[in-house]
Amino acid sequence: YTQCEVVDAMRVVWTEGGTPPSTSDWDIGLVDTKRSPRLRFDTQPDSLNSRFRPMDDLYTHAIFAVDDDIQVSCEDLQFAFEAWTNAERTLVGFYPRLHTLRDPDAGSDGGYEYHSWWYVFWRGEYSMVLTKAAIMHRDYMKLYTVQMPQTIRDYVDQHMNCEDVAMQFLVANISARPPIFVRGAVGDLGALGGISTRSGHMGSRTDCLNDIHRLFVAGGGGDGGLGSHGIGEMPLVSSHVVVGRAGSWFSNQPVTWFEYLASDLPIPIWFQVILILCGLAAVGRLSYECCCGSLVPGRGAPMGGARKHLKT
């Protein structure tokens, strides 16, 4: 990440105890001597809450929180940051998740269920993004550590899980906005051995979703009167928006095929029409030959039949 132009500095939250490794022989790019070190290890208590402790000597408003087993390319990180600059008070990330009512007839009294990617894909909506790879405003780190109810941080420490859900509750309660899911190519080195692959993980996440909601409501959204939602309301907001690159063939398709007949192409429109018709004709011919045989009589004769007329 130090090789990415969009990255100003890196802070490694070190909770392993002992002395952090030396970085003297690391290639960390250019260093501005007028500022604090570009790469620094911050020794913190062994707690998931430590990843959201406020950091000093920062020159940017945006913080990209990322796990040590996640790899995001500089190009995708730059794209996500561009999306965040248009919505600085919400979370922007690569891993969408969804909450739903456990019993629609019972409403919020029946509790909620936590869902992962396949449910997000099937429903076409999401209400959370995981902070294992997400951009947030640095103000939220102070609000999480100082003003969010202490009972929620205690819950995270007790269960060693769900700090990302707690942060999403905090951000949604303050901004009253959904997160933003950015489509990108992310390398996840912990996909096969991480916490999410263990049995009972989804049940645990559902439990923490309901527990944190209960604690958040009981705490009034924070000691400082954080948020714009009423007491008892679910702060999480769902969204159907997926942010993709304008230059991607997969995420950027025209609303109608007439858009392909663009007048700004360097060839006349009549020639574009001819090319499209020729392409359709070629596809039709190929499809017919694959399904029904050759269009030319006699070309479908098997090779074995031809050899019968050869003289030895």
Side-chain angles (χ1 to χ4, degrees):
Y1 293 112
T2 59
Q3 309 304 314
C4 301
E5 293 184 0
V6 70
V7 175
D8 179 75
M10 282 190 63
R11 298 290 184 267
V12 180
V13 179
W14 183 261
T15 61
E16 302 297 322
T19 303
S22 173
T23 62
S24 58
D25 58 344
W26 291 12
D27 181 12
I28 59 175
L30 297 176
V31 178
D32 187 349
T33 56
K34 297 180 181 180
R35 297 186 177 184
S36 59
R38 192 176 188 197
L39 174 61
R40 187 178 74 191
F41 282 80
D42 288 341
T43 303
Q44 300 287 355
D46 187 10
S47 167
L48 290 176
N49 291 312
S50 293
R51 70 179 302 161
F52 297 136
R53 292 182 67 88
M55 301 179 183
D56 56 2
D57 297 331
L58 292 180
Y59 291 85
T60 63
H61 292 289
I63 293 180
F64 178 52
V66 59
D67 286 1
D68 57 359
D69 55 4
I70 299 296
Q71 294 182 343
V72 179
S73 69
C74 294
E75 186 179 13
D76 285 329
L77 183 55
Q78 173 68 53
F79 178 67
F81 175 69
E82 181 181 342
W84 178 84
T85 57
N86 292 285
E88 294 185 357
R89 289 300 168 178
T90 190
L91 288 178
V92 175
F94 298 91
Y95 289 88
R97 297 295 184 263
L98 176 67
H99 81 286
T100 60
L101 289 171
R102 182 175 291 168
D103 182 359
D105 295 332
S108 60
D109 293 336
Y112 299 90
E113 287 191 3
Y114 177 93
H115 300 284
S116 191
W117 165 251
W118 281 112
Y119 211 90
V120 171
F121 173 78
W122 185 257
R123 290 280 294 263
E125 62 177 332
Y126 60 94
S127 56
M128 295 172 276
V129 293
L130 302 184
T131 55
K132 64 191 296 182
I135 299 178
M136 68 185 71
H137 198 285
R138 66 181 185 184
D139 290 349
Y140 287 125
M141 302 184 75
K142 181 178 181 180
L143 293 173
Y144 182 100
T145 303
V146 177
Q147 292 185 257
M148 194 175 69
Q150 180 63 41
T151 52
I152 297 180
R153 293 190 293 274
D154 293 340
Y155 181 92
V156 171
D157 284 335
Q158 180 182 355
H159 294 82
M160 290 297 293
N161 199 351
C162 301
E163 82 289 350
D164 50 355
V165 176
M167 175 59 82
Q168 184 66 78
F169 266 78
L170 175 68
V171 174
N173 198 63
I174 293 175
S175 67
R177 295 179 180 179
I180 296 177
F181 166 39
V182 175
R183 181 183 286 113
V186 177
D188 193 341
L189 303 180
L192 299 180
I195 297 177
S196 61
T197 61
R198 300 174 184 174
S199 60
H201 172 71
M202 295 304 295
S204 299
R205 297 289 282 182
T206 292
D207 290 342
C208 89
L209 173 68
N210 287 282
D211 291 340
I212 288 180
H213 178 229
R214 174 178 53 81
L215 294 172
F216 211 86
V217 170
D223 298 334
L226 304 177
S228 56
H229 289 80
I231 299 298
E233 294 184 10
M234 164 59 75
L236 299 182
V237 183
S238 297
S239 175
H240 303 84
V241 175
V242 179
V243 178
R245 297 180 181 278
S248 171
W249 286 92
F250 298 99
S251 62
N252 187 23
Q253 297 293 329
V255 294
T256 171
W257 69 275
F258 285 105
E259 287 284 274
Y260 287 113
L261 304 179
S263 59
D264 57 349
L265 286 178
I267 55 177
I269 292 182
W270 63 266
F271 192 66
Q272 297 178 40
V273 174
I274 293 177
L275 289 178
I276 293 176
L277 293 177
C278 290
L280 293 175
V283 172
R285 177 188 176 93
L286 180 62
S287 301
Y288 183 88
E289 290 194 7
C290 292
C291 300
C292 307
S294 176
L295 294 173
V296 181
R299 283 194 178 180
M303 292 298 294
R307 289 196 181 99
K308 294 180 181 179
H309 302 286
L310 295 177
K311 293 183 179 180
T312 58

